[in-house]
Amino acid sequence: MVLAYHGGVPGLSRGGFYGVDVFFVLSGFLITSLLVGQEASGGVRFAAFWARRARRLLPALVVMLAAVDLYVAYLAPAGRYPGFRGDALSVLFYVSNWHFIAVSSNYFASASPSLLTHTWSLAIEEQFYLVWPLVVWATARAARRAGRIGPAGAVAAVAGAGAVLSAAWMAVGYRAGQPASRLYFGTDTHASSLLVGAALGAAMTAAAGRRRAPTGPARRARLATPMAVGALAALGWAACSVGSSNGLAYQGGFLGVAAVTAVLLGALTVHPGGAAARVLSVRPVAYAGRISYGMYLWYFPLFALVDHSSTGLSGAALLALRVAADVGVAAASHHLIETRFLHRLPPGPLPGFPGRRPVVAVAAGAAAVVGLVALTAPAGMSGPGPGPGPGRLALAGATTAAGPSGSQLAGAAPLRLLVIGDSTGLTLGLALGFPAVEQRYGLVVDDAAVMGCGLAVSARVEDHGRRIPAPAACNASSPAADLWPARLRSQIATFHPDVVLVASGRWELDSSQPRPGGRWTDISQPADRAYVSGQLQLAASIARAGGARLALATAPCFSSGETPGGSPWPEDGRRRLDAYNGVVRSVAAGQPGATVVDLEALVCPGGRFRTVIGGVTVRAPDGIHYPFFDIAQPAAAAPDTEAQAQRFGLWVAPRILAALRTRPVASG
């Protein structure tokens, strides 16, 4: 389910992520059955339990982590994975789920900023392994003292109550407006599936202890297969129907998936000779189960690296190659690393693998490699290419390829430039607003662009396959005073700009739902083009009313990754881009004194996406923004340092001024 979700398989690409919850239930069931059994036969052996978990999980994890660290540090394109140092260290200490919450990572965004996003579930598992044995021990001890319910029954009751409370806490957070990833990554909000499995394991152990004779085997056999088939059908429906943007998922959906999985697991356990159990016991399926930990460890980085751009494949062929690579690496991990450490096998050939001597030293030293790479590589793990540039002051006197130092409007006061638009305009305005840029080119810049919001007003938008509500400044349900036209009028009245530069487009290239419950549309459709044209004309009329000239910027080409199936995202497509830029030129032609600033021609020469032009970084690693999308963080990873963003500002400012028909002259 998980591989199908991230591989873009139709149907399962909506909710295949529930496969993680299926595994959570299974894990909770197995671990709790083991713990309750140990407790009944002399007490939980904590040290042995934790040591076995460490031998089972850590060696393969650190090998995967070391491999990914080395790739990101020394082979990946510069700045592709900013903040990787923190990602790697959080994985090593099994707190990556909270780390990804802290950095606002989004599991459901296909263009993930980290190759380790999938480790959130491993972190929750390990936290469960650390805490749950203590809970089982304390609950069983209290149950014996009370004498009203057996230890296994008490553990089942505690686990069941915990599952309900965790699911309720997730629902409360959803209704309070917490981000989906906070609810999904949180141990507190996503423990319900583990606890459902724990409740099943404890309850079945308690039932087995009470059973005096094999009562009703025929009845159980008759019910097991229909229950298993029904549970599988319910899981299939959830995976194909209830996606990450559906509120049902966070308001009982995950608990429901866990409950259905528990029914399936219970049916398979009470009747292991049934048809469903036999199907799931065929050798290829059973072998996939044995190597499933390795498959999960490696699939996310492998899927990111084995993509359309690196293979030329897409669709079913790409998925087949990805799965084959994942199975191959997972099999090697299982036989060469996991089995040896788990069973403490001595060095030498493994059973079934004569003549192959695994390099166990790789696993033993992998943790050291992870720590060394994470602590010594550049903060952004930027890979080949120039390191972080000099600081803000060092670039104050830098020259550009477009004119001598000190260029500004001839004999004029500084040009007051107001930038409006979406987050592409925001990053452009930030680059132009550096003091060194303003002083060199005679500018005073006010950046009033809005993050995640352009000129089109809608109810929801679809970006990278996710349908999300529009922000307040461009949400159809917002009061007029909160929308961008009112904000623009206020900004003009306060700032008194000479020129209003409209730099948008990415927002308008997304599919949108104009009003709640309305039909989805995009700018390739005539009605949407006409609407966007009207919004640009509205911006022009507001600018003229405030006494400012209007400059309309074309949108640059975008390269924000691939769909899970290997094709470009629709919002990156040339059809939508040409439609928007055609509207920009048409509106500018009909507005007296309006100017077109052709940013596409500047940063995408020949229509090709470029990250660096003439040694200057012109685009951020996300393939959407100008350097830097996160300029508010001075210590951000290369190539998104302040220095490089400022250098972009020094590069682009004279080109924008040239488009505004100004004449750069030397100062002094």
Side-chain angles (χ1 to χ4, degrees), residues 130 141 155 234-235 263 307 339 470 518 530 583 587:
L130 287 174
R141 187 174 182 181
V155 171
L235 282 176
V263 171
D307 59 5
T339 301
V583 171
V587 171

Side-chain angles (χ1 to χ4, degrees), residues 278-290:
R278 290 198 303 272
V279 169
L280 294 176
S281 298
V282 297
R283 286 189 175 183
V285 177
Y287 184 74
R290 283 196 292 276

Side-chain angles (χ1 to χ4, degrees), residues 593-616:
T595 302
V596 173
V597 177
D598 198 351
L599 290 177
E600 184 192 16
L602 288 178
V603 300
C604 298
R608 295 178 54 219
F609 182 87
R610 301 278 294 276
T611 301
V612 178
I613 297 178
V616 177

